[in-house]
Amino acid sequence: MTGQTAPAAPPVGVSVDVPAKINPHLGVGDARADGYHALSTVYQAISLHDTVTAEPREEPGIEITISGEGAGELPTDEGNLAHKAAKLVALYAGIKPAVKLHLNKRIPVAGGLAGGSADAAGALVACARLWEVAIGDAELHRLAAGLGSDVPFCLKGGTAIGTGRGEELTPVQAKGSWNWVVATTDTQISTPECYKEVDRLREDGIGRYSSDVGPIVTAFEQGADADALARLLVNDMEAAAVSLRPQLASLMHGGLEEGALAAHVSGSGPTVLFLATDVKHAVALARRIRMRGGARSVHLAHGPVAGPAA
């Protein structure tokens, strides 16, 4: 079958919604010999989605268009993880890729919410369905891990412990739902940039590896209320993100003054998450943060939610 063109597909496309991820716990170890950092993290998928649509293309090739967040800025060639994902599915199936991918992006770009990884996960699932390629869970996870540390989780969603580079997942049976206000900023922080700052701060004696995920995992499994969860949020990259973008401190302080239970940098930042008591509190908190200024956009979200391959 190798070298053949992708099988004919119906004219209708395949669309999948892929959630953003947050890290209620993000422990970052020291840099390893391979340049990566060991992670002890807890992922949770939230209801802020990108939509990936795959449609058949008459000629072989991968064509990407983007609307929403990052349109006109993000690459539409091999530099986009979704392109690499489509190519991987075709390689796995032994066919030539022939697909139009449209990314309708709502997840902020370079915001610590794994938007690029979400698009890659969506492209894996959408292309497999479009081309009717049967891929088992284990193989899909392997393909996802080859694309990036966050991609396997974006496939499944929910809540999970991540170890290794973050790609080794253990599902967590979370009982309940938690409400967040997601505040984006006008700046961006690349993940490698933030890791370098973590290393620099560690050399100065600032920060340590928060490896124990036990307390927050127990809280999720027991359906802890938001007040209890607020005391358990950890992000070893937060100090580095604030060091790189000092304006984040003002945004976080402002959200706390407006009544947030906790202010938490999302992943490598610079998006800031504010934990709310419930939906009503989240709506009021989002309104006050918008009125206060300092955020580019403010979104409501809840989690956990399922991924496209759950």
Side-chain angles (χ1 to χ4, degrees), residues 238-252:
E238 188 165 286
V242 172
S243 174
L244 292 168
R245 306 291 186 270
Q247 62 268 39
L248 294 182
S250 176
L251 177 59
M252 295 171 73

Side-chain angles (χ1 to χ4, degrees), residues 14-20 48-54 65-68 82 101-107 115 118-123 126 308:
V14 175
S15 292
V16 296
D17 287 337
V18 197
L48 185 61
H49 294 85
D50 281 358
T51 301
V52 179
T53 300
T65 56
I66 300 173
S67 60
L101 290 176
H102 181 71
L103 315 180
N104 183 12
K105 293 191 59 60
R106 305 173 192 88
I107 302 173
D119 295 340

Side-chain angles (χ1 to χ4, degrees), residues 64-78:
I64 294 181
T65 56
I66 300 173
S67 60
E69 294 277 344
E73 301 173 11
L74 293 173
T76 56
D77 55 11
E78 292 86 351

